[in-house]
Amino acid sequence: MTSTSDNDIHIACEALLVEKQGIQELITSLQNDNALSAAFNQTVEKISTLQGRVVLTGIGKSGHIAKKIQATLASTGTASFFVHPAEAAHGDLGMIQPGDVVLAISASGETAELASIISHTKRFGIFLIAISTNSKSTLAQAANISITLPRSKEACPYGLAPTTSTIMQLALGDALAITLLKKRDFSASDFGIYHPGGRLGSKLKAVRDLMHTNQEIPLGSPDMPILEAIMEMTRKALGCIGIVTTEGLLVGLITDGDLRRTLDKDIRKLTAKDVMNTNPMTVQEDILAAEALRLMNNNKHPITCLFVTNQQHQPIGVLHIHDLLRAGIA
């Protein structure tokens, strides 16, 4: 590596260290600054009980940060959208309704373009939350809740390009989203509802989304002749059959492997109860398909199908390894 390259890495690391210090100052302030912690807690309480939407707004670099925070809130269960301040003054104010909360971000708190949105919140009694670095600014003074970030050194050597300040805004937005997520008991399954596309969406599918149901479930009784059980397995083509009582309770499972282990016997004399596994692994329909895959692979002898049962231990579905493969999970 050349000395020029060494210098470039040094400059990059110095910038990251300055931004790291800004994050640390934000953490310290949240822990020790009563005004900041109170404002954050009030914001969490307001948004967590909100019936309307959270409207993010900001311009310039703060606007870009506001868009990212809005996207994170939306994907973690908080109804939200972004309104550009300039577009707001030309008709988009109609998107902001009573019952919503406006979360406005401006480092200085004196962004002229926010004037129309501030006036709109006052005219219609819409709750306004400000994130800035100046508690005496126009935005902070107009807000119902003012979150004042600590003034930290920018990574820009001239102190002009927003760097540390925007990192702190973004970090606070992430902290807010995660706090709301935890407060609402927002689960991985819930997360999957908002991320149905792509590989992430596949990993967050629940068993209920992939399992075979109703007439596709291969079922038989304990006294069923094993040859009839084989016919049922062949018809349903899942490589297994669930054995149920007259009350519909799952009491056993027969797989292709179980059948192979009986080849040294006269199968014409066998019934399902002679062959079945009396303690098959089962899952509930609401667990993630990725978790079901882990269970199938963690078994001492990996299995290819799982029966899905309800609280009464009645079969309501079957999940096959091929279903996971098709969904891009396995």
Side-chain angles (χ1 to χ4, degrees):
M1 183 179 288
T2 66
S3 58
T4 300
S5 298
D6 287 340
N7 187 56
D8 291 343
I9 294 298
H10 175 75
I11 293 170
C13 290
E14 284 294 315
L16 292 172
L17 287 171
V18 171
E19 293 184 341
K20 176 185 175 182
Q21 181 60 34
I23 295 293
Q24 186 57 59
E25 290 175 12
L26 177 57
I27 294 171
T28 301
S29 295
L30 270 172
Q31 292 173 333
N32 302 315
D33 184 332
N34 292 335
L36 178 56
S37 60
F40 184 83
N41 286 334
Q42 290 166 10
T43 298
V44 170
E45 187 62 29
K46 180 64 180 179
I47 295 177
S48 66
T49 58
L50 186 64
Q51 298 300 310
R53 295 83 44 84
V54 180
V55 183
L56 278 294
T57 190
I59 202 161
K61 305 300 186 293
S62 293
H64 293 306
I65 296 299
K67 288 179 181 178
K68 194 278 175 185
I69 294 173
Q70 180 274 314
T72 302
L73 287 171
S75 70
T76 52
T78 298
S80 58
F81 62 93
F82 176 81
V83 171
H84 194 286
E87 297 296 337
H90 294 277
D92 282 0
L93 283 174
M95 298 168 66
I96 309 172
Q97 300 291 323
D100 293 339
V101 163
V102 172
L103 181 54
I105 304 175
S106 168
S108 67
E110 297 295 347
T111 304
E113 290 86 352
L114 290 174
S116 61
I117 291 181
I118 294 174
S119 297
H120 184 73
T121 62
K122 294 305 175 187
R123 180 180 180 184
F124 293 99
I126 298 169
F127 203 90
L128 174 63
I129 301 172
I131 297 178
S132 72
T133 58
N134 184 1
S135 62
K136 305 298 183 184
S137 66
T138 301
L139 174 61
Q141 292 296 306
N144 299 96
I145 299 174
S146 176
I147 298 176
T148 305
L149 301 178
R151 290 179 177 272
S152 298
K153 178 184 176 182
E154 298 285 9
C156 169
Y158 311 113
L160 298 175
T163 47
T164 308
S165 57
T166 50
I167 286 290
M168 292 167 70
Q169 291 172 351
L170 181 59
L172 184 73
D174 285 342
L176 176 62
I178 298 305
T179 304
L180 289 165
L181 177 153
K182 293 283 189 180
K183 195 174 183 69
R184 292 195 178 106
D185 293 324
F186 192 84
S187 68
S189 295
D190 295 325
F191 198 79
I193 293 172
Y194 299 101
H195 296 79
R199 186 162 180 81
L200 177 60
S202 296
K203 287 184 175 294
L204 292 173
K205 286 184 180 296
V207 165
R208 70 166 66 88
D209 300 321
L210 302 176
M211 68 184 189
H212 300 267
T213 61
N214 301 320
Q215 298 305 313
E216 296 179 358
I217 306 174
L219 294 174
S221 68
D223 296 321
M224 170 188 281
I226 197 63
L227 291 177
E228 290 185 20
I230 293 173
M231 293 297 294
E232 174 70 358
M233 291 172 65
T234 303
R235 283 192 293 269
K236 301 300 171 64
L238 291 174
C240 65
I241 181 172
I243 307 304
V244 295
T245 66
T246 54
E247 293 79 21
L249 303 179
L250 184 71
V251 292
L253 176 69
I254 299 174
T255 67
D256 291 335
D258 296 318
L259 292 175
R260 285 193 295 272
R261 285 186 284 274
T262 65
L263 291 178
D264 59 342
K265 301 175 182 178
D266 185 353
I267 63 172
R268 293 171 299 178
K269 298 179 180 179
L270 298 177
T271 62
K273 65 185 176 186
D274 298 322
V275 179
M276 70 184 188
N277 170 7
T278 58
N279 188 32
M281 181 183 295
T282 61
V283 294
Q284 301 290 303
E285 65 175 339
D286 57 350
I287 75 163
L288 292 181
E291 174 64 11
L293 174 64
R294 186 188 68 79
L295 294 172
M296 294 166 83
N297 286 332
N298 275 3
N299 199 289
K300 182 179 292 185
H301 301 288
I303 57 180
T304 59
C305 61
L306 273 175
F307 261 75
V308 186
T309 57
N310 58 20
Q311 296 295 332
Q312 291 74 42
H313 207 58
Q314 297 167 321
I316 58 173
V318 181
L319 182 69
H320 195 277
I321 189 69
H322 289 166
D323 304 318
L324 300 173
L325 286 167
R326 282 190 290 270
I329 298 168

